[in-house]
Amino acid sequence: MSHSVMLPEWAPCRAVLLAWPYPNGDWASNYAEVVECYWEVLSAIARAAPVWVLVHPSLDFSTFSAELEARAIEGVVEVRNDIHYDDTWIRDYGPISCSKKLMSFTFDGWGGKYCAKADNQVALNMADWLLLQPRSVDFVCEGGGLEVNAEQVLLANEECVIDSKRNPKLQKEDVQNILRECLGVREFAWLQGICLTGDDTDGHIDTIARFAPVGKTGCAVIYSGRNTNHHDAAILQSLHQQIAALTTRWGWEAFELPTPVVLSKVDGRLLPATYANFLICNDCVFAPVYHLPEDDAAIAVLERAFPAFNVVPVYCAPLLEQHGSLHCATMQIGTPVL
C-alpha cells in the first residue's frame, strides 16, 4: 500500500483552483451569465481559502485584472494567464491532493468525447504554484469520479472509472490495483448504472453521492434523492437502494437531497441538476442553488449533514447548461506533508 493517501475533501485546504470561461469555448450560448456565476463562486470561496484563477491566454488579462480589482473581493486571489486549457471543468483535470504528493491522472475528455490535449497538461504546468511537481500517471481518470473518506474508502460509480473507452486494456481488478497504489485506497464502495440524463461524464460520483465527516462512524453519505416526477426516476430509485445497501454495510449515516427537474434555458433539454455537487473548503460547504423551490430543502439537508460547517449557498444555474455545477468547476489543493 502507498504511504500517501488521497485526502478527503474536508482536509485542510491550501487553495481552490478555477479555470475561467472564455468566449470561444463551450460557453458561447450563455457566456455573460456564466462569467457572472464564476465571479460569484470566486467571491464566495475567497472568504474561506485563497483562490487560484487560470485565465485563458485568449482573454485580455489587463481587463480581467481591472475587473478583479473593481470587485474588491475579500480574501487572497492569485491569477495567471500562461497556461492553456480546453475546458473549464478543472475538477476533472486538476491535480488530486494526497497526503504526501499531488497526482495527475491522464485526462482524455471523458473517454474521448471532447478535445482535452491542453487540459491534460494543466496540472503538470502548475508545479511552480503547487510547490511540487504532480506525479503523472498513464491512467485515464477524473477527479469528479473519485470520492474518499478518512478511512480511505473510495466511493465511485463503476461506469466512469472502469471504462473500456478510458482504459481499454484494464479490468476491474487492474483499476482497483492502480487506485490502491496511486491514492492509497483501502476499500471500494462501488455504485453501478447511475448516470443522470445529459451527464457527459458517464456518472461522476460528485453529481450523485458524497461523503461528510459526521455521525457515530465519522462518516455519512449525502446523495441525490428520489423524485417520481423526474425523467430519471428509476435511476434515482436505484441510487437510493444502492446507497441504503452501502450505508448498512459500512455503518454510515445517509442524507437524501432533493433532485430537481431543470430544463435548459437555451434549448429546453433536461439538465443533470444536482445539489450533491457541493464543495467542502476548510470550515465551509459551498452549496450550488438554482433559484428553485427545492433550494431551501437542499440547504437544510446539508446543514444537518455538516453541523460543524458553515453552509454557503452559491447560485449556479448557468453552470448546468454545460452539464456541471459548483464542484465540477473547482479543485481544492490540500497540503501534502513533504
Side-chain angles (χ1 to χ4, degrees):
M1 165 150 333
S2 168
H3 294 296
S4 183
V5 299
M6 182 176 169
L7 295 169
E9 200 162 300
W10 52 85
C13 176
R14 181 175 150 222
V16 173
L17 283 170
L18 293 175
W20 208 256
Y22 57 99
N24 298 320
D26 296 328
W27 296 106
S29 64
N30 67 333
Y31 183 66
E33 292 89 345
V34 88
V35 168
E36 188 56 40
C37 177
Y38 265 73
W39 282 117
E40 288 190 35
V41 169
L42 169 56
S43 178
I45 295 173
R47 298 187 189 111
V51 181
W52 295 348
V53 184
L54 301 181
V55 173
H56 199 269
S58 67
L59 287 168
D60 186 302
F61 194 60
S62 59
T63 302
F64 180 90
S65 300
E67 178 153 11
L68 176 61
E69 190 172 337
R71 287 183 178 254
I73 288 166
E74 294 176 35
V76 176
V77 182
E78 295 187 38
V79 185
R80 64 192 293 172
N81 70 335
D82 60 336
I83 294 178
H84 280 270
Y85 51 91
D86 305 294
D87 207 296
T88 51
W89 301 126
I90 200 164
R91 170 65 48 182
D92 290 343
Y93 57 82
I96 294 172
S97 297
C98 299
S99 58
K100 295 184 179 180
K101 64 188 175 188
L102 294 164
M103 294 295 308
S104 176
F105 290 128
T106 302
F107 180 65
D108 72 347
W110 306 284
K113 296 183 182 77
Y114 305 99
C115 177
K117 201 168 182 182
D119 292 338
N120 189 41
Q121 297 300 312
V122 167
L124 303 177
N125 289 336
M126 289 182 59
D128 54 337
W129 234 354
L130 298 167
L131 304 181
L132 75 163
Q133 184 67 36
R135 179 185 163 196
S136 178
V137 180
D138 184 19
F139 169 68
V140 178
C141 194
E142 303 95 35
L146 306 170
E147 180 81 3
V148 296
N149 65 11
E151 284 70 49
Q152 288 85 57
V153 179
L154 179 85
L155 178 64
N157 190 25
E158 283 199 17
E159 277 75 5
C160 60
V161 181
I162 306 163
D163 174 32
S164 61
K165 288 193 174 66
R166 286 167 168 86
N167 297 291
K169 296 177 181 175
L170 301 180
Q171 303 301 312
K172 183 174 184 176
E173 191 55 41
D174 303 319
V175 169
Q176 292 189 157
N177 286 337
I178 290 168
L179 295 171
R180 285 188 187 103
E181 193 275 322
C182 292
L183 303 178
V185 174
R186 189 173 57 84
E187 298 194 66
F188 296 86
W190 291 112
L191 298 172
Q192 292 178 318
I194 308 297
C195 185
L196 299 177
T197 296
D199 180 356
D200 298 326
T201 71
D202 307 306
H204 271 183
I205 197 69
D206 70 351
T207 64
I208 52 180
R210 307 288 303 286
F211 281 132
V214 295
K216 300 183 192 69
T217 60
C219 187
V221 179
I222 305 101
Y223 65 100
S224 298
R226 295 160 290 177
N227 180 351
T228 54
N229 296 317
H230 199 286
H231 179 77
D232 296 321
I235 292 168
L236 294 169
Q237 176 64 27
S238 173
L239 175 62
H240 173 76
Q241 290 169 335
Q242 291 185 55
I243 293 293
L246 289 175
T247 54
T248 299
R249 177 186 168 194
W250 297 95
W252 297 331
E253 284 189 50
F255 293 88
E256 186 172 7
L257 289 163
T259 302
V261 175
V262 179
L263 303 179
S264 167
K265 291 178 179 164
V266 176
D267 59 15
R269 72 195 186 284
L270 186 71
L271 298 175
T274 168
Y275 293 106
N277 207 243
F278 53 81
L279 172 71
I280 308 168
C281 178
N282 293 329
D283 62 350
C284 292
V285 174
F286 296 100
V289 293
Y290 309 110
H291 292 174
L292 295 173
E294 293 91 343
D295 286 356
D296 289 345
I299 295 298
V301 171
L302 291 171
E303 286 174 341
R304 290 204 315 277
F306 290 93
F309 294 75
N310 180 25
V311 178
V312 181
V314 184
Y315 178 63
C316 288
L319 298 180
L320 296 175
E321 291 291 345
Q322 284 297 320
H323 310 151
S325 196
L326 179 60
H327 194 254
C328 303
T330 56
M331 177 53 99
Q332 77 284 350
I333 304 301
T335 308
V337 180
L338 303 176

